[in-house]
Amino acid sequence: LILTDDGKLYSYSNNSNMTGVGETSDFTEIKFDGATVEQIDTLDGLSLAVLSNGEVYGWGYNTNGILGDGYDLGGIYPTPVKLNLSNVRTMSLGNGFAIFATYAGEVYGIGKNGYGQLGTGDNVGASTFVRCEELEK
């Protein structure tokens, strides 16, 4: 993935499940209606993008359920799908989990939590976005 200074996102891969645009033989722009890309992260076959309008999109392998409600655990999403989370300012994709911070200062997490990385005060994984109040402190 290549993110340009003007918020355009380009992808190239020989694995059509991970490109965000299906099969490609050259760098191809991943377009989002009316928004530019502010941040990208990719790990273990899953990519996430935070847009200028606060929306988050993901594509690739949903091995740990990071895409959230409505997307099959273990499913493959070769083009971007919108996550059920808005007003996102920044995010971090970890080993099997993701953390999102909103413009309002709230923090949400999803995925593995075996070591308490979601900041929920326990070690129970989440397949829906959970508020991580411990990480807001």
Side-chain angles (χ1 to χ4, degrees):
L1 295 174
I2 297 173
L3 179 59
T4 64
D5 288 340
D6 60 355
K8 293 181 180 178
L9 182 61
Y10 293 88
S11 177
Y12 175 79
S13 174
N14 60 4
N15 183 339
S16 62
N17 292 328
M18 294 175 22
T19 64
V21 291
E23 291 195 28
T24 180
S25 60
D26 200 357
F27 285 98
T28 304
E29 184 178 359
I30 302 173
K31 295 182 180 183
F32 302 92
D33 292 330
T36 57
V37 178
E38 296 287 321
Q39 181 186 1
I40 58 172
D41 209 343
T42 188
L43 184 67
D44 294 334
L46 180 69
S47 298
L48 297 174
V50 175
L51 305 187
S52 56
N53 61 8
E55 294 176 344
V56 180
Y57 283 79
W59 62 96
Y61 300 105
N62 192 30
T63 307
N64 296 292
I66 293 172
L67 298 180
D69 288 339
Y71 302 107
D72 294 332
L73 178 63
I76 300 171
Y77 297 87
T79 58
V81 296
K82 185 177 175 186
L83 279 64
N84 188 24
L85 195 60
S86 60
N87 200 29
V88 173
R89 181 176 52 84
T90 189
M91 54 112 181
S92 181
L93 184 57
N95 185 11
F97 71 100
I99 302 292
F100 304 87
T102 69
Y103 282 99
E106 298 170 340
V107 178
Y108 294 89
I110 193 165
K112 287 184 179 180
N113 190 34
Y115 299 101
Q117 57 267 49
L118 296 184
T120 55
D122 58 33
N123 62 352
V124 178
S127 59
T128 60
F129 294 99
V130 294
R131 182 102 178 255
C132 308
E133 295 182 29
E134 289 295 314
L135 298 178
E136 294 174 5
K137 296 178 181 178

PDB file of all heavy atoms in Angstrom, residues 20-34:
ATOM      1  N   GLY A  20      -7.465  -4.788  -2.047  1.00  0.00           N
ATOM      2  CA  GLY A  20      -8.465  -3.751  -1.855  1.00  0.00           C
ATOM      3  C   GLY A  20      -9.176  -3.395  -3.138  1.00  0.00           C
ATOM      4  O   GLY A  20     -10.150  -2.659  -3.143  1.00  0.00           O
ATOM      5  N   VAL A  21      -8.687  -3.909  -4.256  1.00  0.00           N
ATOM      6  CA  VAL A  21      -9.297  -3.623  -5.561  1.00  0.00           C
ATOM      7  C   VAL A  21      -9.487  -4.891  -6.386  1.00  0.00           C
ATOM      8  O   VAL A  21      -9.772  -4.825  -7.568  1.00  0.00           O
ATOM      9  CB  VAL A  21      -8.467  -2.601  -6.369  1.00  0.00           C
ATOM     10  CG1 VAL A  21      -8.527  -1.231  -5.730  1.00  0.00           C
ATOM     11  CG2 VAL A  21      -7.026  -3.069  -6.523  1.00  0.00           C
ATOM     12  N   GLY A  22      -9.342  -6.055  -5.781  1.00  0.00           N
ATOM     13  CA  GLY A  22      -9.424  -7.300  -6.537  1.00  0.00           C
ATOM     14  C   GLY A  22      -8.134  -7.540  -7.289  1.00  0.00           C
ATOM     15  O   GLY A  22      -7.077  -7.105  -6.867  1.00  0.00           O
ATOM     16  N   GLU A  23      -8.210  -8.208  -8.420  1.00  0.00           N
ATOM     17  CA  GLU A  23      -6.997  -8.515  -9.170  1.00  0.00           C
ATOM     18  C   GLU A  23      -6.429  -7.259  -9.811  1.00  0.00           C
ATOM     19  O   GLU A  23      -7.150  -6.407 -10.310  1.00  0.00           O
ATOM     20  CB  GLU A  23      -7.298  -9.561 -10.245  1.00  0.00           C
ATOM     21  CG  GLU A  23      -7.613 -10.908  -9.631  1.00  0.00           C
ATOM     22  CD  GLU A  23      -7.550 -12.029 -10.638  1.00  0.00           C
ATOM     23  OE1 GLU A  23      -6.806 -11.926 -11.621  1.00  0.00           O
ATOM     24  OE2 GLU A  23      -8.251 -13.017 -10.405  1.00  0.00           O
ATOM     25  N   THR A  24      -5.120  -7.139  -9.779  1.00  0.00           N
ATOM     26  CA  THR A  24      -4.437  -5.997 -10.363  1.00  0.00           C
ATOM     27  C   THR A  24      -3.076  -6.430 -10.877  1.00  0.00           C
ATOM     28  O   THR A  24      -2.464  -7.329 -10.322  1.00  0.00           O
ATOM     29  CB  THR A  24      -4.291  -4.850  -9.344  1.00  0.00           C
ATOM     30  OG1 THR A  24      -3.610  -3.764  -9.965  1.00  0.00           O
ATOM     31  CG2 THR A  24      -3.532  -5.267  -8.115  1.00  0.00           C
ATOM     32  N   SER A  25      -2.621  -5.787 -11.929  1.00  0.00           N
ATOM     33  CA  SER A  25      -1.292  -6.083 -12.448  1.00  0.00           C
ATOM     34  C   SER A  25      -0.392  -4.863 -12.365  1.00  0.00           C
ATOM     35  O   SER A  25       0.727  -4.874 -12.848  1.00  0.00           O
ATOM     36  CB  SER A  25      -1.390  -6.571 -13.902  1.00  0.00           C
ATOM     37  OG  SER A  25      -1.994  -5.577 -14.705  1.00  0.00           O
ATOM     38  N   ASP A  26      -0.899  -3.816 -11.743  1.00  0.00           N
ATOM     39  CA  ASP A  26      -0.146  -2.579 -11.599  1.00  0.00           C
ATOM     40  C   ASP A  26      -0.698  -1.841 -10.382  1.00  0.00           C
ATOM     41  O   ASP A  26      -1.718  -2.232  -9.817  1.00  0.00           O
ATOM     42  CB  ASP A  26      -0.301  -1.731 -12.860  1.00  0.00           C
ATOM     43  CG  ASP A  26       0.797  -0.697 -13.006  1.00  0.00           C
ATOM     44  OD1 ASP A  26       1.658  -0.585 -12.099  1.00  0.00           O
ATOM     45  OD2 ASP A  26       0.811   0.007 -14.019  1.00  0.00           O
ATOM     46  N   PHE A  27      -0.042  -0.763  -9.983  1.00  0.00           N
ATOM     47  CA  PHE A  27      -0.567   0.029  -8.876  1.00  0.00           C
ATOM     48  C   PHE A  27      -1.939   0.579  -9.260  1.00  0.00           C
ATOM     49  O   PHE A  27      -2.109   1.152 -10.332  1.00  0.00           O
ATOM     50  CB  PHE A  27       0.377   1.171  -8.518  1.00  0.00           C
ATOM     51  CG  PHE A  27       1.580   0.694  -7.767  1.00  0.00           C
ATOM     52  CD1 PHE A  27       2.776   0.473  -8.419  1.00  0.00           C
ATOM     53  CD2 PHE A  27       1.506   0.438  -6.412  1.00  0.00           C
ATOM     54  CE1 PHE A  27       3.881   0.020  -7.734  1.00  0.00           C
ATOM     55  CE2 PHE A  27       2.605  -0.018  -5.709  1.00  0.00           C
ATOM     56  CZ  PHE A  27       3.796  -0.232  -6.372  1.00  0.00           C
ATOM     57  N   THR A  28      -2.912   0.376  -8.386  1.00  0.00           N
ATOM     58  CA  THR A  28      -4.283   0.791  -8.633  1.00  0.00           C
ATOM     59  C   THR A  28      -4.775   1.586  -7.438  1.00  0.00           C
ATOM     60  O   THR A  28      -4.537   1.207  -6.291  1.00  0.00           O
ATOM     61  CB  THR A  28      -5.192  -0.449  -8.829  1.00  0.00           C
ATOM     62  OG1 THR A  28      -4.659  -1.243  -9.889  1.00  0.00           O
ATOM     63  CG2 THR A  28      -6.605  -0.046  -9.161  1.00  0.00           C
ATOM     64  N   GLU A  29      -5.459   2.697  -7.716  1.00  0.00           N
ATOM     65  CA  GLU A  29      -5.974   3.519  -6.628  1.00  0.00           C
ATOM     66  C   GLU A  29      -7.209   2.872  -6.004  1.00  0.00           C
ATOM     67  O   GLU A  29      -8.105   2.411  -6.698  1.00  0.00           O
ATOM     68  CB  GLU A  29      -6.340   4.915  -7.127  1.00  0.00           C
ATOM     69  CG  GLU A  29      -6.782   5.837  -6.007  1.00  0.00           C
ATOM     70  CD  GLU A  29      -7.114   7.243  -6.477  1.00  0.00           C
ATOM     71  OE1 GLU A  29      -6.995   7.532  -7.683  1.00  0.00           O
ATOM     72  OE2 GLU A  29      -7.492   8.057  -5.612  1.00  0.00           O
ATOM     73  N   ILE A  30      -7.231   2.836  -4.678  1.00  0.00           N
ATOM     74  CA  ILE A  30      -8.421   2.428  -3.931  1.00  0.00           C
ATOM     75  C   ILE A  30      -9.172   3.717  -3.632  1.00  0.00           C
ATOM     76  O   ILE A  30      -8.654   4.593  -2.943  1.00  0.00           O
ATOM     77  CB  ILE A  30      -8.057   1.709  -2.620  1.00  0.00           C
ATOM     78  CG1 ILE A  30      -7.187   0.486  -2.902  1.00  0.00           C
ATOM     79  CG2 ILE A  30      -9.306   1.314  -1.864  1.00  0.00           C
ATOM     80  CD1 ILE A  30      -6.645  -0.173  -1.656  1.00  0.00           C
ATOM     81  N   LYS A  31     -10.389   3.828  -4.168  1.00  0.00           N
ATOM     82  CA  LYS A  31     -11.136   5.076  -4.024  1.00  0.00           C
ATOM     83  C   LYS A  31     -12.246   4.947  -2.993  1.00  0.00           C
ATOM     84  O   LYS A  31     -12.881   3.906  -2.881  1.00  0.00           O
ATOM     85  CB  LYS A  31     -11.731   5.473  -5.371  1.00  0.00           C
ATOM     86  CG  LYS A  31     -10.667   5.795  -6.401  1.00  0.00           C
ATOM     87  CD  LYS A  31     -11.274   6.229  -7.703  1.00  0.00           C
ATOM     88  CE  LYS A  31     -10.162   6.538  -8.694  1.00  0.00           C
ATOM     89  NZ  LYS A  31     -10.681   7.034  -9.960  1.00  0.00           N
ATOM     90  N   PHE A  32     -12.434   6.016  -2.249  1.00  0.00           N
ATOM     91  CA  PHE A  32     -13.489   6.117  -1.251  1.00  0.00           C
ATOM     92  C   PHE A  32     -14.317   7.351  -1.592  1.00  0.00           C
ATOM     93  O   PHE A  32     -13.756   8.429  -1.774  1.00  0.00           O
ATOM     94  CB  PHE A  32     -12.906   6.228   0.157  1.00  0.00           C
ATOM     95  CG  PHE A  32     -12.029   5.066   0.527  1.00  0.00           C
ATOM     96  CD1 PHE A  32     -10.658   5.113   0.308  1.00  0.00           C
ATOM     97  CD2 PHE A  32     -12.577   3.918   1.069  1.00  0.00           C
ATOM     98  CE1 PHE A  32      -9.848   4.027   0.642  1.00  0.00           C
ATOM     99  CE2 PHE A  32     -11.776   2.836   1.402  1.00  0.00           C
ATOM    100  CZ  PHE A  32     -10.409   2.894   1.188  1.00  0.00           C
ATOM    101  N   ASP A  33     -15.617   7.208  -1.688  1.00  0.00           N
ATOM    102  CA  ASP A  33     -16.508   8.288  -2.132  1.00  0.00           C
ATOM    103  C   ASP A  33     -16.310   9.572  -1.344  1.00  0.00           C
ATOM    104  O   ASP A  33     -16.660   9.645  -0.170  1.00  0.00           O
ATOM    105  CB  ASP A  33     -17.972   7.855  -2.024  1.00  0.00           C
ATOM    106  CG  ASP A  33     -18.327   6.761  -3.012  1.00  0.00           C
ATOM    107  OD1 ASP A  33     -17.700   6.728  -4.090  1.00  0.00           O
ATOM    108  OD2 ASP A  33     -19.218   5.948  -2.708  1.00  0.00           O
ATOM    109  N   GLY A  34     -15.744  10.572  -1.988  1.00  0.00           N
ATOM    110  CA  GLY A  34     -15.672  11.908  -1.425  1.00  0.00           C
ATOM    111  C   GLY A  34     -14.734  12.108  -0.250  1.00  0.00           C
ATOM    112  O   GLY A  34     -14.749  13.156   0.360  1.00  0.00           O
TER     113      GLY A  34
END
